[in-house]
Amino acid sequence: MELGACRIAFEKDGVYLHTSAKRHPDQDSIIPGVIRIIEKGSDTLLQWTPVEESSDAAQMTFTKKDTVGCQADEEIFDPGYEPDWAVISTVGTPSRVQEETNASGPKSPAPRGQWAFTLHLSELKSIRKSKPGLGWSYLIFITKDGVSIQALHFHRGGTKALLKALCKYVILATSPKDSRLYLVYTHDSYALTHSFDELQLFDDSSSNLVSRFLQDPYAATFGGFSKVTNFFRGALHHEDGTPQHAHSDPGTGNVEDETGFELITCQARLAERPSVQRETPVTEQEWEQHLDPSGRVVDPSGLRRRIFAGGLSMSLRKEAWKYLLGCYAWENSAEENKAQVRRKTDEYFRMKLQWKSVSEEQERRNSLLRGYRSLIERDVSRTDRNNKFYEGSENPGLVLLNDVLMTYCMYNFDLGYVQGMSDLLSPILYITQNEVEAFWCFCGFMELVHRNFEESQESMKRQLAQLTLLLRVLDPPLCDFLDSKESGTLCFCFRWILIWFKREFAFAEILQLWEVLWTGLPCPNFHLLVACGILDAERQALMNSGFGFNEILKHINELTMKMSVEDILCRAEAIYRQLAATPDLPRNVQELLGLSEGKSPSPSTDTASSPQPLSPSQAQEMELTDSVSPSQPDSSIEILPTEEGTTSQSLSP
């Protein structure tokens, strides 16, 4: 585009300047704008200018549901769940932002034009990019005078396109001390081209050498070195007296088309992916065959393998889940399990009494407990309400759900309650239909996934990075496609990992998926292979539809309740067998899946298999097997099943 003596070489709209660092900025603190690279004679400028919100170039792609006075001209994509899922919601001190705003009254917005800026590229010292995560990507431009320009947030993507466009005018080098910092160097394109032509290391038209070098420095560099070898070989043999140059289309810039060298990549040659079929569920009769006369499981490893291959029949889950989640030890007899039940029942009601006995006056001075109670009540009221077990306003299942979660706050003071935990408890309570059993099974589940709910989100970030690593080995083209659409961080998989696909599959299928994952087979981090299986199943739909960032997020969200858990489990197991059979699998992938020899695997969830029996007092409780008075009543609420026809039994012997 020509503007007088200037030419616009690059232009991207949807680039916003956030003038406020508040978590919930108001309308005037988010200024839409357009960023451009402008060629003006021999100089090149980087320019950002604000635009009016009513213009087509400034339509908001994402908004908060409760945003006041800001409406997008296009249909806003609603992800179908609360925006708070993007950031773990924890109970903390209340915000004073609203109070301060109300007290100070409305302020007149500052003129937006004051935020516009124009930079000569020769003035740029460095560019800092955002940390890969779940928010919008942003860039911060830093001048040689040490001035940092306000961060520009790319709501519609485009950071990579801008950086690629800048590479035509400057050299961007990653800082050796900070991988998120690009150091900016100017260069004399004529001098570079002339030097390469003199050396005759590249093809005759080397005007695109710098761009090819920046895109793939290894291929470009070693391609040149190979030409040195060919040059000396031709000079020594004097075959035809003229040096041989590889001729290729200068516009293609395809290094692999050049002759004289072979580009060797580090991509592992994957083994053939086998076909996998699921087996039939384990029945009560088959389960009985694995027990000796004392009720002890004879072959725990074999039984876990069988559960992994076929799952459990519905009538068996109430008993088997206690083993998978650590309420019962696999090596315990029936009598030892009964003693364990008595101890755990007494311990549960002691913890429950702690929060039940707090008076209203005490709670007014305990903001933490008050916050947990409020958050739990809010989440319980909307957890699986379409399930008959939880439907209706006066449903006793909701009371159990609330009481178990409140008691868990007493059990784990450090973690407390975090949004999403109700989703993990709901299926467990549905199966056990007993308050005490549900609590200890839930504690066992939380031993596997509790780091997912930590405020730092370090575990979630690590697992998303590990998922990216697996996908890069399995399907590099899909990874490249997602990278090109600003989706390479796999942020759309966040909810999958956080609550183990609870909202992605039908309720009945989640029961099967979880019991398979609880076996800890066939490897640690199998839940990441389940995520790979979903992406593998949707590969064609993603890559062949021309989706952008918004469409990818929308498509993934619309998969909810439309996938078959049998198909995904078959794909995940087939992927594992394929990787296990690959001879040159990268070391970090081997360690991630427990395939490396001589080193125990370190799963993302910090536990390699089913949790061990929960026993906070451990040795002391083992000695006091029968010391707890049997007169302690079991006041847990029993709910008789209405559909399966099974009989719910109390934990009390």
Side-chain angles (χ1 to χ4, degrees):
M1 181 183 298
E2 301 287 344
L3 290 177
C6 302
R7 187 181 77 88
I8 298 179
F10 176 86
E11 183 177 73
K12 182 73 178 72
D13 59 3
V15 182
Y16 290 72
L17 190 146
H18 295 196
T19 62
S20 173
K22 299 175 183 178
R23 183 178 178 184
H24 302 289
D26 55 30
Q27 178 185 3
D28 294 321
S29 66
I30 301 180
I31 303 178
V34 178
I35 192 165
R36 299 183 178 95
I37 297 177
I38 301 175
E39 296 179 355
K40 186 177 181 180
S42 60
D43 201 1
T44 306
L45 309 175
L46 180 68
Q47 180 185 83
W48 181 86
T49 54
V51 296
E52 294 298 327
E53 292 214 40
S54 58
S55 69
D56 294 336
Q59 292 178 355
M60 290 285 288
T61 307
F62 292 97
T63 73
K64 281 283 187 181
K65 293 181 181 179
D66 57 352
T67 301
V68 178
C70 179
Q71 295 182 354
D73 294 335
E74 65 182 59
E75 181 181 357
I76 302 302
F77 165 56
D78 181 3
Y81 51 90
E82 292 190 42
D84 288 342
W85 275 98
V87 179
I88 298 295
S89 59
T90 57
V91 176
T93 55
S95 174
R96 301 182 182 270
V97 175
Q98 188 64 35
E99 299 177 6
E100 294 174 358
T101 302
N102 294 337
S104 61
K107 297 180 180 179
S108 58
R112 295 189 171 188
Q114 69 175 1
W115 297 101
F117 68 84
T118 301
L119 280 177
H120 295 267
L121 292 189
S122 58
E123 298 176 356
L124 268 181
K125 178 182 179 182
S126 59
I127 303 173
R128 177 172 294 279
K129 64 178 181 178
S130 57
K131 188 175 182 180
L134 304 169
W136 292 308
S137 299
Y138 65 80
L139 294 176
I140 299 175
F141 298 95
I142 304 170
T143 68
K144 293 180 178 178
D145 296 331
V147 178
S148 296
I149 307 299
Q150 195 84 4
L152 297 180
H153 296 254
F154 291 70
H155 288 199
R156 302 180 185 176
T159 55
K160 292 185 179 179
L162 174 61
L163 294 175
K164 184 177 181 180
L166 287 173
C167 288
K168 297 179 182 179
Y169 309 97
V170 294
I171 297 176
L172 300 181
T174 304
S175 170
K177 297 181 180 180
D178 188 349
S179 60
R180 294 168 49 204
L181 186 68
Y182 291 112
L183 304 179
V184 181
Y185 300 98
T186 58
H187 57 74
D188 185 344
S189 299
Y190 171 78
L192 277 176
T193 303
H194 183 71
S195 299
F196 285 128
D197 285 341
E198 287 295 322
L199 291 174
Q200 297 182 343
L201 299 185
F202 297 90
D203 43 8
D204 292 336
S205 180
S206 55
S207 60
N208 66 336
L209 171 62
V210 175
S211 62
R212 288 195 290 117
F213 177 82
L214 291 171
Q215 291 176 2
D216 197 341
Y218 293 103
T221 301
F222 287 105
F225 288 160
S226 71
K227 299 295 176 60
V228 176
T229 304
N230 292 341
F231 175 81
F232 281 107
R233 180 181 300 160
L236 291 174
H237 287 285
H238 299 286
E239 293 181 354
D240 53 9
T242 58
Q244 299 295 319
H245 299 295
H247 296 278
S248 61
D249 183 3
T252 60
N254 188 352
V255 182
E256 292 185 352
D257 290 339
E258 296 180 354
T259 59
F261 77 104
E262 177 184 3
L263 180 60
I264 302 175
T265 66
C266 298
Q267 175 63 33
R269 186 180 297 275
L270 296 176
E272 184 178 354
R273 186 175 299 180
S275 176
V276 174
Q277 297 294 327
R278 297 286 298 167
E279 298 180 9
T280 58
V282 178
T283 62
E284 289 184 273
Q285 293 77 14
E286 185 178 353
W287 178 272
E288 292 292 335
Q289 295 174 3
H290 284 80
L291 303 180
D292 65 10
S294 66
R296 183 178 286 106
V297 178
V298 177
D299 183 14
S301 298
L303 186 54
R304 281 201 299 268
R305 285 194 297 269
R306 182 69 181 85
I307 295 173
F308 170 80
L312 295 162
S313 60
M314 186 65 180
S315 59
L316 186 57
R317 283 176 172 143
K318 179 178 173 67
E319 180 73 9
W321 280 20
K322 299 172 194 174
Y323 286 91
L324 292 173
L325 291 172
C327 293
Y328 290 168
W330 292 95
E331 65 274 8
N332 278 4
S333 66
E335 289 300 320
E336 290 171 328
N337 286 334
K338 288 181 180 180
Q340 177 85 347
V341 166
R342 288 195 293 271
R343 293 195 303 273
K344 293 304 179 184
T345 300
D346 180 71
E347 185 177 353
Y348 173 78
F349 284 106
R350 287 201 307 268
M351 290 186 292
K352 182 176 180 180
L353 185 62
Q354 291 174 1
W355 65 269
K356 277 284 190 180
S357 60
V358 174
S359 66
E360 293 184 4
E361 185 178 355
Q362 286 178 299
E363 189 167 320
R364 281 198 299 269
R365 295 189 295 270
N366 191 332
S367 60
L368 190 62
L369 180 62
R370 192 168 62 249
Y372 285 146
R373 187 190 297 275
S374 175
L375 189 56
I376 289 173
E377 289 176 354
R378 186 187 69 177
D379 286 356
V380 165
S381 65
R382 57 191 181 186
T383 299
D384 291 327
R385 297 307 300 275
N386 58 340
N387 189 304
K388 291 183 179 180
F389 189 78
Y390 298 107
E391 67 181 2
S393 57
E394 301 297 331
N395 194 311
L398 299 179
V399 177
L400 288 181
L401 205 60
N402 179 87
D403 289 359
V404 170
L405 292 172
M406 284 296 299
T407 306
Y408 185 78
C409 293
M410 300 295 104
Y411 174 81
N412 191 338
F413 284 103
D414 291 337
L415 185 58
Y417 177 80
V418 182
Q419 185 183 12
M421 290 183 181
S422 60
D423 280 284
L424 301 184
L425 173 60
S426 173
I428 295 176
L429 183 57
Y430 172 79
I431 290 298
T432 61
Q433 301 191 9
N434 178 279
E435 183 177 0
V436 178
E437 286 182 325
F439 174 80
W440 290 112
C441 286
F442 175 68
C443 290
F445 195 1
M446 288 301 298
E447 285 295 309
L448 295 172
V449 299
H450 70 95
R451 293 191 182 277
N452 289 2
F453 297 94
E454 293 177 349
E455 190 173 4
S456 67
Q457 298 186 26
E458 288 303 320
S459 177
M460 290 298 301
K461 295 173 185 176
R462 181 173 63 254
Q463 290 176 78
L464 287 173
Q466 291 169 340
L467 178 57
T468 303
L469 170 65
L470 289 172
L471 195 63
R472 175 65 63 183
V473 172
L474 288 167
D475 197 340
L478 177 58
C479 269
D480 292 340
F481 169 79
L482 294 175
D483 283 338
S484 69
K485 304 300 180 181
E486 300 287 334
S487 300
T489 58
L490 304 182
C491 61
F492 49 81
C493 301
F494 183 89
R495 188 176 67 181
W496 297 359
I497 299 174
L498 180 69
I499 53 175
W500 275 26
F501 312 96
K502 167 61 167 54
R503 298 192 179 185
E504 318 312 319
F505 294 95
F507 192 88
E509 292 189 320
I510 277 296
L511 307 180
Q512 179 183 356
L513 175 61
W514 281 2
E515 62 199 15
V516 168
L517 294 176
W518 290 337
T519 64
L521 299 174
C523 64
N525 302 311
F526 186 66
H527 66 294
L528 298 181
L529 295 183
V530 171
C532 289
I534 297 176
L535 295 174
D536 180 70
E538 298 301 317
R539 182 182 192 275
Q540 298 301 322
L542 291 172
M543 297 187 67
N544 296 340
S545 301
F547 285 163
F549 177 85
N550 288 353
E551 292 79 13
I552 291 174
L553 185 61
K554 185 173 185 290
H555 176 81
I556 293 297
N557 187 69
E558 289 177 347
L559 295 177
T560 301
M561 306 301 167
K562 296 180 181 178
M563 298 180 289
S564 166
V565 74
E566 290 278 344
D567 173 62
I568 298 303
L569 283 174
C570 287
R571 288 177 181 269
E573 186 177 354
I575 289 172
Y576 169 75
R577 295 185 183 182
Q578 179 186 28
L579 293 176
T582 299
D584 299 323
L585 199 63
R587 181 73 176 182
N588 49 359
V589 178
Q590 294 181 38
E591 294 176 355
L592 181 61
L593 301 180
L595 298 174
S596 57
E597 298 179 359
K599 183 173 182 179
S600 58
S602 177
S604 303
T605 50
D606 301 312
T607 179
S609 60
S610 300
Q612 296 301 312
L614 299 171
S615 181
S617 306
Q618 293 184 351
Q620 294 182 3
E621 287 195 357
M622 292 302 292
E623 296 174 358
L624 300 175
T625 303
D626 297 316
S627 62
V628 179
S629 173
S631 62
Q632 171 68 32
D634 180 6
S635 58
S636 58
I637 301 175
E638 294 289 346
I639 300 180
L640 296 179
T642 58
E643 296 179 328
E644 280 69 33
T646 58
T647 302
S648 179
Q649 299 177 352
S650 172
L651 267 173
S652 292

